[in-house]
C-alpha cells in the first residue's frame, strides 16, 4: 500500500509544489515555446511524471507504471473509442457525397451570409462538436463557410470562435464524463453545475460572431438571429445538462438552435436587405483541404454551385446518420434499456494500484469501469453500422473509411493516451494533491483562478478533456482547502477550458490548413485573441460570484 505524501521535498509545501509542477511545465513549454509535436511532448511529459513519482514521491515503480497504464486504458476506452467512431461517421458522409448535400442545404437556408454563418458555424458546428470534437467542427465548418463566400481567414476565425459553448459536452459529453471520473464527483452533478455556467457563453457567442463577420453593421442589422440562436441553444443546453441525458446536451441544443433560426428566417430578414458573402469578400474560391481531427482529409472545391437542387430523399439521407445517433442515445437513456446495457458493466480495482491519500482514505481513481455495451462509443459504432446502409455504401467502403479514420487519428490517439496516463500518475502519486494544497493559499480568490487553470490547460493541450484530466483533481483538492465547493471548482475548470480551445496550437493549425492558409496561424491567433479576452474575465467573474452568497444558490 502506497500512502501519498504532500510535502516530500524537505517538508516544504512550496518546494514540493515546484517539483510536482515540473511535468506540467515541461509539457506546456515543449508545446507552446518549442512547438514540439503534441504526441512527442505528451510522451515526454508522461515520462517526467513517472520520474517525479518514483524518485521524489517514492511511489513504488510497479504502482507508478500501473497508474500510467490505467490512464492509457482510459484514453483508449472510452475516450478514443468515442472519437474514432464519431469521425468515422463523418468520413462516410464525405465518401458518399452527402457532405456536399449538407453544405448546399445550409447555404440555401438564407441569402444573408451572416445568418448562414450562424447556422453553419454555431448550430451545425455545435452538432459536430457534440458528436466528434477534437478539431472536426473547426475544419468542417471553416470549409463550408468558404464555400458560401467568406474569405479564408475570416472563415477560420469564425469557426474557431464558434467552437466554444458546446465544448464542455463535446464528443458525447466526454469532457464532463472524464472530469467526473478523475475527481470522483457524480456525473449528474458535474454536468448540472457546468450547465449553469457555459450556457451564458452560448448567449454571447453569436453576437461576437456577427461582430467578426460584419462589425457594427452586422450587430445592428442581424441581431435577432444572434439573439434567437444564442438563447435557444443556451436554454436547451441548460435543460439537458440538468434534467436530460448529458450525452444529448449539445446534440439537442444544436438542433433546437437550428430549428429556431429556420423559423425566424421564414418571417424575418436582416435590416438593410440580404447580403451575399461573395459580394463582401475576396478570395473564397480556393481549393481546400479538410483536416478533421488534425489529420489530412479529402480535398473539397469551394466553387461548388450552392444553388444546385438536391432531391429531398438525398437531403434526408445526408441528415439521417445524425438522426440515428439521436434516436439511439434517446433509447439508451430509457431506464429499462440503460439497466439492461449496464448489467454487463464491470468495475474492478486496477491491478497493481493500491493507494491511500494523506488522510489514509483509498482513492476511487484506482477503480476502472468497463462499460463496453453502455458506452457512448459503442452507441456511435452501432450508428456507424446503420449509416453504412443509409448512405448507400458498400461494406468494404465503410471498412475502408474506418481504416482511414484510424490512420488519421494516430497522432491524436498517442497524445490523448499519454496525457491521460500522465494525469493518472500525477493524481495517484500525490503530485496533484500537493499542487492543490499549495494553490489553496489563494483563499477565497481561488474561485477567480479556477477558470484560468482550465483555460490554460485547453489552450496548451487543445482538448478540454485533457485539461480536465490534468487539472480536475487539482481543482477539487484546492477547493477543499479553501472552503470553496469542490463541484464548483471542477465545473470552473471545464467551463474555463472551453475558452482556451480557440487558442490551442492544434486547433489553430487545423483551422489554418483547412482553408489553405497553413503557416498563418499567428495571424489567426491575433484574430481570436480578442474573443477569448472578452469571454474569460466574464467566466471568472461568474464562477467567483457562484462561490459567494450572491450566486451561491446556483451550486447544486
Amino acid at each position: 500500500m502506497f500512502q501519498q505524501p504532500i510535502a516530500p521535498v524537505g517538508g516544504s509545501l512550496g518546494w514540493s509544489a515546484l517539483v510536482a509542477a515540473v511535468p506540467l511545465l515541461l509539457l506546456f513549454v515543449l508545446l507552446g515555446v518549442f512547438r514540439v509535436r503534441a504526441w512527442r511532448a505528451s510522451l515526454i511529459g508522461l515520462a517526467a511524471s513517472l520520474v517525479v513519482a518514483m524518485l521524489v514521491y517514492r511511489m513504488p515503480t510497479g504502482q507508478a507504471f500501473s497508474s500510467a497504464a490505467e490512464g492509457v486504458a482510459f484514453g483508449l476506452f472510452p475516450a478514443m473509442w468515442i472519437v474514432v467512431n464519431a469521425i468515422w461517421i463523418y468520413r462516410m458522409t464525405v465518401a458518399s457525397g452527402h457532405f456536399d448535400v449538407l453544405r448546399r442545404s445550409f447555404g440555401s437556408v438564407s441569402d444573408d451570409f451572416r445568418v448562414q454563418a450562424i447556422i453553419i458555424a454555431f448550430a451545425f458546428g455545435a452538432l459536430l462538436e457534440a458528436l466528434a470534437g477534437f478539431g472536426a467542427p473547426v475544419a468542417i465548418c471553416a470549409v463550408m463557410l468558404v464555400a458560401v463566400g467568406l474569405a479564408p481567414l475570416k472563415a477560420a476565425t469564425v469557426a474557431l470562435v464558434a467552437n466554444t459553448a458546446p465544448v464542455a459536452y463535446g464528443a458525447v459529453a466526454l469532457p464532463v464524463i472524464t472530469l467526473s471520473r478523475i475527481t470522483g464527483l457524480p456525473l449528474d452533478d458535474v454536468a448540472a453545475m457546468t450547465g449553469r455556467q457555459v450556457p451564458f457563453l452560448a448567449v454571447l457567442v453569436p453576437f461576437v460572431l456577427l461582430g467578426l463577420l460584419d462589425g457594427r453593421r452586422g450587430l445592428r442589422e442581424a441581431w435577432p438571429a444572434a439573439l434567437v440562436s444564442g438563447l435557444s441553444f443556451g436554454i436547451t443546453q441548460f435543460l439537458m445538462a440538468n434534467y436530460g441525458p448529458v450525452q444529448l446536451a449539445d446534440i439537442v441544443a444544436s438542433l433546437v438552435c437550428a430549428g429556431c433560426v429556420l423559423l425566424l428566417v421564414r418571417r424575418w430578414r436582416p435590416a438593410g436587405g440580404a447580403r451575399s458573402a461573395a459580394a463582401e469578400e475576396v478570395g473564397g474560391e480556393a481549393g481546400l483541404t479538410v483536416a478533421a481531427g488534425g489529420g489530412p482529409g479529402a480535398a473539397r472545391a469551394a466553387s461548388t454551385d450552392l444553388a444546385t437542387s438536391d432531391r429531398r430523399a438525398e437531403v434526408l439521407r445526408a441528415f439521417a446518420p445524425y438522426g440515428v445517433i439521436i434516436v439511439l442515445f434517446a433509447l439508451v437513456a430509457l431506464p429499462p434499456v440503460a439497466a439492461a446495457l449496464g448489467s454487463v458493466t464491470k468495475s474492478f480495482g486496477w491491478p497493481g494500484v493500491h493507494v491511500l491519500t494523506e488522510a489514509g482514505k483509498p482513492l476511487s481513481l484506482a477503480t476502472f469501469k468497463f462499460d463496453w455495451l453502455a458506452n457512448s462509443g459503442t452507441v456511435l459504432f452501432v450508428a456507424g453500422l446503420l449509416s453504412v446502409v443509409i448512405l448507400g455504401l458498400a461494406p468494404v467502403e465503410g471498412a475502408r473509411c474506418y481504416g482511414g479514420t484510424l490512420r488519421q487519428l494516430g497522432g491524436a490517439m498517442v497524445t490523448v493516451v499519454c496525457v491521460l496516463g500522465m494525469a493518472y500518475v500525477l493524481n495517484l502519486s500525490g503530485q496533484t494533491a500537493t499542487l492543490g494544497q499549495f494553490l489553496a493559499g489563494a483563499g477565497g480568490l481561488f474561485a477567480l483562478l479556477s477558470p484560468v487553470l482550465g483555460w490554460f490547460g485547453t489552450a496548451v493541450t487543445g482538448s478540454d478533456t485533457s485539461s480536465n484530466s490534468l487539472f480536475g483533481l487539482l481543482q477539487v483538492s484546492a477547493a477543499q482547502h479553501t472552503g470553496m465547493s469542490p463541484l464548483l471548482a471542477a465545473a470552473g475548470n471545464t467551463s474555463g477550458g472551453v475558452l482556451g480551445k480557440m487558442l490551442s496550437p492544434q486547433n489553430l493549425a487545423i483551422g489554418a490548413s483547412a482553408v489553405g492558409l497553413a503557416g498563418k496561424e499567428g495571424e489567426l491567433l491575433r484574430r481570436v485573441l480578442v474573443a477569448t479576452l472578452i469571454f474569460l474575465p466574464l467566466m471568472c467573474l461568474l464562477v467567483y460570484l457562484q462561490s459567494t452568497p450572491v450566486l451561491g444558490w446556483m451550486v447544486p
Side-chain angles (χ1 to χ4, degrees), residues 219-243:
L219 289 167
R220 185 175 62 252
E221 295 180 353
W223 66 264
L227 183 64
V228 169
S229 59
L231 283 177
S232 60
F233 187 94
I235 292 172
T236 307
Q237 188 185 54
F238 163 77
L239 293 174
M240 292 301 298
N242 282 270
Y243 307 110

Side-chain angles (χ1 to χ4, degrees), residues 117-118 121-122 157-159 161-162 204-214:
I118 286 177
F122 187 69
T157 303
V158 169
V161 174
L204 297 176
V205 168
F207 289 95
V208 174
L209 295 182
L210 286 182
L212 292 170
L213 287 163
D214 201 27

